[in-house]
Amino acid sequence: MNTTTIKKTFPVLQMSCASCAISAESIIKGLEGVTAASVNFATESVAVEYAPDVISPKEIRKAVQDGGYDLLIENDEGDKTDILDEIHTKKFDSLKRRTIWAIILSLPVVIIGMFFMDIPYANEIMWILSTPVIFWLGKDFFVNAWKQAKHRSANMDTLVALSTSVAYLFSVFNTLFPVFWLQRGIQPHVYFEAASVIIAFILLGRLLEEKAKGNTSSAIKRLMGLQPKTVTLIQDGTHVQLPVERIGIDDILLVKPGEKIAVDGLVTEGTSYVDESMLSGEPIPVLKQENDRVFAGTINQKGSFQFKAEKVGSDTMLAHIIKMVQEAQGSKAPVQKLVDKIAGIFVPVVISIAILSFVFWLILGGTNGFTQGLLALVTVLIIACPCALGLATPTAIMVGVGKGAENGILIKDAESLELAKKVNAIVLDKTGTITEGRPVVTDISWLNGDDSKSVFLLSLEKQSEHPLADAVSLYFNDILPVPMTDFESITGKGAKGVIDGQTYFVGNYKLLLENNISIDNQLKDKVQKSSDQSKTIIWFANSDHALASIAIADKVKSTSKAAIQQLQSSKIEVYMLTGDNESTAQEIAKATGIKHYKAEVLPHEKSEFIKQLQAEGKMVAMVGDGINDSTALAQADLSIAMGKGSDIAMDVAKMTIISSDLNKIPEAIKLSKQTVNTIKQNLFWAFIYNLIGIPVAAGILYPFTGFLLNPMIAGAAMALSSVSVVSNSLRLKWKK
């Protein structure tokens, strides 16, 4: 029998908590032909290794559907990313509507239940208002609880369903048959407000969670968008527009100015500059001539050229980047929220205590055993309501994220806040992260200090297509160019033109040599100093001698050095990775005090370097701003994007520094510590009520003191736990 297996990743739908992920995983693992399965709740996906001769994706999907979940398999029509986006949008919109309506309907129930319980028909009004909240807006809790029960498991939905249904049914009974309790000397309280408020609060928590998970597929979608939909194929001397999927190896393609390159290949004719920042992260476009390689997703500048397709479809560099981002995102273990972990034990324990307290009262309670037992059961379930648990994390996250936003730090989810405080190694990209990310003129040295020809230099650069020409034009943005004739762009070297009958040149050293232009020693000395600092040199000359040298560099941000020193003083190791050359990397490291750096690093090598640090047991943060950083950002334990960088880097990253100021990173780590401490305090307050209240609600004090906890007091205790959690979260706002 053929035992060959294949491994595929499928999106999993209709999971509501970490327990659902465990349940879906156990269903898939139990299937014949499946050798391994790992469900990631954070990315809502499952990696399945299975024998295609034994079981098909459709059969796996059928089993998952029987368990109450769903899989999106490859045979589904349409773009999978688009389908997932549509499903998420519908789910979020539905959740938002239900949350708003639950709050609107619950508010009057709370007001009547707390302050106006003696008005005529108070119970009936609360009954009418709370019924749609529980059975319409909160129906998913009951559906999910039933799914869990069928698989002999329980989660937070189970406790929500039990506590709300018992409180609701108990209140309905007390509304219809108050005499039953009055004859026994007990006041028939109702708990409609407790039942409806539980639903409203938990829906609010789910809404916040769904919003945080909303952009998981957008990074991949943006990467895919880098590849054009159509290309120009040269066939028998004619130009044919074709979908990119129809391109084959060795096809000759034409790339026009401003177009994205569709596949990897080799230039066969023409020259142009190509923006490869998505791969290298470097801001200066690269000259492409015959026999130079070009890559999918990079952007052609002003020239046009033809190239032969060498790698198409899933073999291109862009496709590999997409695959690496997907794998790195999917390989992360989902953050097992402390609430969900404890709920796995807490829920069955609470249910058991509630039932046991009823049984004990029934056996030992004498004539009123049944009555007191039923009250104890209801009281235990009400006081153990997970309202505070549901609020513990979201409220702290809301305040923490809000405070971060006020300080220019955008935070995506609880995972990044939890991890930031544990970081002990930070990997920094150079361009756009430590440096400004764009070439600027740092200084101009004029022969004998005579800058009267500045306007001629500007006029030449205004017409030049060379990438560095923009930096010079920007430097002289306060003067206007003059008319020029016979302009000529000299590919790979510079440009020349005639002004007032005199020929002027602007370009590299090779251009001056070819035109026998002399360079004065004073300019040579200035250039040597700039070259030692790894700056790029442009020469400006007339037909006889050099008039000026222009030094261009990607400047270090004014705040970078102080931020790096602050991180190092916090015992965090700082590494710099760059696609730039060794001498430039060395100069930047020296200027900022970085001890560990690597130059000429490709995107996949950045990711490998982070894996290596992780293998050494380090908690690694990656800070970058370009598409070339996306794989490394996805691989890192904590990913931080610079706000002035690419959209894809910001999509992949869990944090974004809006101002691109490195000083914000130490601030983000401090905010992480404060927020995680607040979450822990919230969970403490959420549970302390249960640890004290549940035994008291069960009647543990009755044999010693004769005290029985009234369900109304239990409801108040539950509300107090929620108030304390929210109040504690709000304290975060005032911390520095």
Side-chain angles (χ1 to χ4, degrees):
M1 182 179 172
N2 187 0
T3 56
T4 304
T5 61
I6 59 174
K7 189 174 182 180
K8 287 193 176 182
T9 301
F10 304 105
V12 185
L13 310 177
Q14 298 172 23
M15 294 193 297
S16 61
C17 66
S19 300
C20 296
I22 296 166
S23 176
E25 186 175 299
S26 64
I27 291 167
I28 298 169
K29 278 182 175 177
L31 298 172
E32 186 182 352
V34 174
T35 54
S38 175
V39 175
N40 187 324
F41 178 60
T43 58
E44 296 183 314
S45 63
V46 58
V48 188
E49 190 174 341
Y50 64 97
D53 293 341
V54 181
I55 192 167
S56 69
K58 283 188 176 180
E59 290 170 316
I60 297 172
R61 182 188 190 181
K62 178 68 169 62
V64 171
Q65 286 174 330
D66 290 343
Y69 311 106
D70 200 358
L71 284 188
L72 196 60
I73 60 176
E74 290 176 353
N75 290 343
D76 292 330
E77 293 181 5
D79 184 342
K80 194 179 287 188
T81 309
D82 289 340
I83 294 170
L84 285 173
D85 283 348
E86 189 179 339
I87 290 169
H88 167 74
T89 302
K90 284 181 179 177
K91 182 179 177 183
F92 182 80
D93 290 344
S94 170
L95 197 52
K96 187 177 180 180
R97 281 194 300 272
R98 286 188 288 134
T99 304
I100 292 169
W101 275 110
I103 292 169
I104 290 170
L105 292 172
S106 297
L107 201 58
V109 179
V110 172
I111 293 169
I112 294 169
M114 301 297 282
F115 306 108
F116 302 104
M117 64 283 288
D118 295 325
I119 65 170
Y121 303 107
N123 289 1
E124 287 78 4
I125 294 169
M126 289 190 289
W127 182 8
I128 291 168
L129 290 172
S130 62
T131 299
V133 175
I134 294 161
F135 296 111
W136 170 44
L137 303 170
K139 66 178 179 181
D140 285 355
F141 296 111
F142 295 91
V143 172
N144 292 334
W146 175 245
K147 289 177 186 175
Q148 293 296 319
K150 286 198 295 185
H151 289 93
R152 298 179 183 179
S153 62
N155 63 1
M156 293 301 290
D157 289 336
T158 309
L159 199 51
V160 172
L162 275 174
S163 60
T164 53
S165 58
V166 169
Y168 176 83
L169 293 172
F170 186 68
S171 301
V172 170
F173 180 85
N174 290 355
T175 301
L176 295 175
F177 309 107
V179 177
F180 177 85
W181 299 108
L182 292 170
Q183 287 176 343
R184 291 160 176 77
I186 298 170
Q187 189 67 28
H189 291 294
V190 296
Y191 304 96
F192 290 118
E193 82 284 353
S196 58
V197 165
I198 291 167
I199 297 291
F201 272 142
I202 302 300
L203 281 174
L204 179 62
R206 292 275 166 90
L207 182 69
L208 295 172
E209 184 181 344
E210 192 65 26
K211 187 175 182 180
K213 287 159 60 178
N215 293 322
T216 53
S217 64
S218 60
I220 302 299
K221 195 173 181 181
R222 285 182 184 274
L223 280 170
M224 289 174 174
L226 288 173
Q227 188 180 51
K229 301 291 183 189
T230 60
V231 293
T232 305
L233 174 70
I234 298 176
Q235 198 171 48
D236 300 326
T238 60
H239 296 175
V240 183
Q241 288 288 320
L242 287 178
V244 70
E245 295 83 9
R246 290 178 58 184
I247 296 305
I249 294 171
D250 292 336
D251 281 348
I252 302 297
L253 307 175
L254 174 68
V255 184
K256 298 173 186 175
E259 286 187 343
K260 291 175 183 173
I261 294 166
V263 296
D264 295 0
L266 207 65
V267 177
T268 58
E269 186 182 318
T271 59
S272 183
Y273 286 92
V274 174
D275 180 357
E276 291 189 342
S277 59
M278 63 155 285
L279 296 176
S280 67
E282 300 312 311
I284 300 171
V286 180
L287 175 65
K288 296 294 179 181
Q289 302 178 91
E290 194 172 333
N291 294 325
D292 285 340
R293 295 194 179 279
V294 291
F295 302 96
T298 56
I299 304 169
N300 184 30
Q301 299 291 287
K302 297 176 182 177
S304 65
F305 60 89
Q306 297 176 17
F307 75 98
K308 181 171 69 175
E310 287 192 322
K311 292 180 180 178
V312 299
S314 61
D315 292 328
T316 65
M317 176 91 70
L318 176 61
H320 284 302
I321 290 176
I322 292 169
K323 186 180 178 185
M324 287 171 72
V325 172
Q326 286 174 320
E327 286 178 353
Q329 285 182 332
S331 66
K332 290 181 180 178
V335 182
Q336 296 290 341
K337 298 280 193 299
L338 191 52
V339 176
D340 282 320
K341 283 182 179 178
I342 296 169
I345 306 165
F346 179 72
V347 176
V349 167
V350 167
I351 295 168
S352 301
I353 291 171
I355 294 169
L356 282 172
S357 60
F358 175 74
V359 171
F360 274 115
W361 276 106
L362 198 62
I363 296 169
L364 305 172
T367 54
N368 284 333
F370 175 81
T371 304
Q372 300 292 4
L374 187 60
L375 278 171
L377 183 143
V378 172
T379 307
V380 167
L381 289 175
I382 288 174
I383 204 166
C385 154
C387 188
L389 285 175
L391 286 170
T393 300
T395 52
I397 295 302
M398 276 181 74
V399 177
V401 168
K403 188 177 180 183
E406 287 171 11
N407 290 280
I409 305 164
L410 291 183
I411 301 161
K412 272 193 181 177
D413 57 21
E415 179 184 4
S416 53
L417 273 176
E418 185 181 344
L419 288 174
K421 68 187 286 286
K422 302 175 185 176
V423 166
N424 53 22
I426 286 188
V427 176
L428 302 174
D429 172 50
K430 177 184 77 71
T431 307
T433 302
I434 298 173
T435 66
E436 295 287 354
R438 55 186 172 83
V440 294
V441 174
T442 58
D443 49 87
I444 295 182
S445 301
W446 291 95
L447 182 64
N448 300 322
D450 179 12
D451 63 356
S452 60
K453 300 290 192 299
S454 295
V455 67
F456 295 172
L457 171 59
L458 170 67
S459 301
L460 266 174
E461 292 290 45
K462 276 287 185 183
Q463 293 199 39
S464 174
E465 64 182 30
H466 194 281
L468 296 180
D470 291 338
V472 179
S473 298
L474 193 63
Y475 185 82
F476 292 112
N477 65 352
D478 57 342
I479 59 176
L480 296 172
V482 295
M484 178 174 46
T485 58
D486 298 331
F487 176 81
E488 182 186 347
S489 179
I490 305 164
T491 303
K493 295 167 190 171
K496 70 176 183 176
V498 177
I499 304 173
D500 292 342
Q502 173 75 50
T503 301
Y504 292 93
F505 297 84
V506 63
N508 57 24
Y509 183 65
K510 191 182 288 186
L511 181 67
L512 269 62
L513 282 179
E514 288 181 359
N515 290 277
N516 299 315
I517 296 170
S518 63
I519 303 172
D520 192 274
N521 285 334
Q522 62 168 289
L523 286 181
K524 284 183 179 178
D525 292 341
K526 296 276 179 68
V527 165
Q528 186 59 51
K529 186 179 179 183
S530 294
S531 297
D532 291 342
Q533 295 173 344
S534 299
K535 295 180 181 179
T536 301
I537 305 301
I538 292 177
W539 295 94
F540 174 55
N542 58 26
S543 52
D544 297 321
H545 56 269
L547 299 173
S549 64
I550 304 105
I552 294 178
D554 186 9
K555 286 173 66 177
V556 173
K557 293 175 186 173
S558 58
T559 56
S560 292
K561 185 176 181 179
I564 288 163
Q565 288 176 343
Q566 192 175 347
L567 290 168
Q568 289 171 336
S569 65
S570 302
K571 296 183 179 177
I572 296 173
E573 291 181 10
V574 180
Y575 301 83
M576 180 181 75
L577 301 183
T578 177
D580 214 334
N581 60 63
E582 176 70 27
S583 60
T584 302
Q586 186 178 21
E587 191 63 35
I588 298 295
K590 183 180 175 183
T592 55
I594 292 174
K595 297 169 188 172
H596 313 285
Y597 70 89
K598 285 184 78 175
E600 297 175 14
V601 181
L602 293 172
H604 70 275
E605 291 173 333
K606 289 185 180 183
S607 180
E608 289 300 323
F609 183 79
I610 289 171
K611 281 183 187 176
Q612 184 183 324
L613 291 178
Q614 289 169 328
E616 294 170 10
K618 290 184 170 67
M619 185 67 71
V620 185
M622 170 70 196
V623 187
D625 77 321
I627 297 164
N628 64 305
D629 300 318
S630 57
T631 54
L633 287 166
Q635 177 61 43
D637 298 294
L638 175 66
S639 46
I640 304 173
M642 295 286 106
K644 293 177 182 175
S646 75
D647 290 342
I648 291 162
M650 285 184 272
D651 280 341
V652 174
K654 295 297 180 70
M655 286 188 184
T656 297
I657 307 300
I658 298 171
S659 64
S660 295
D661 181 356
L662 280 182
N663 272 325
K664 295 293 179 184
I665 294 173
E667 288 183 24
I669 292 170
K670 188 174 181 182
L671 180 62
S672 163
K673 291 176 181 177
Q674 292 174 345
T675 307
V676 170
N677 288 339
T678 301
I679 290 170
K680 289 178 179 176
Q681 291 161 7
N682 284 352
L683 291 173
F684 168 80
W685 287 113
F687 280 107
I688 198 70
Y689 288 100
N690 288 318
L691 290 173
I692 297 170
I694 289 174
V696 173
I700 198 169
L701 295 178
Y702 187 78
F704 311 104
T705 63
F707 176 77
L708 279 173
L709 185 64
N710 188 303
M712 193 67 187
I713 297 172
M718 179 272 293
L720 186 60
S721 69
S722 301
V723 170
S724 64
V725 161
V726 175
S727 301
N728 190 51
S729 294
L730 291 172
R731 285 176 59 244
L732 252 179
K733 278 190 175 183
W734 318 118
K735 290 185 179 179
K736 288 187 177 180

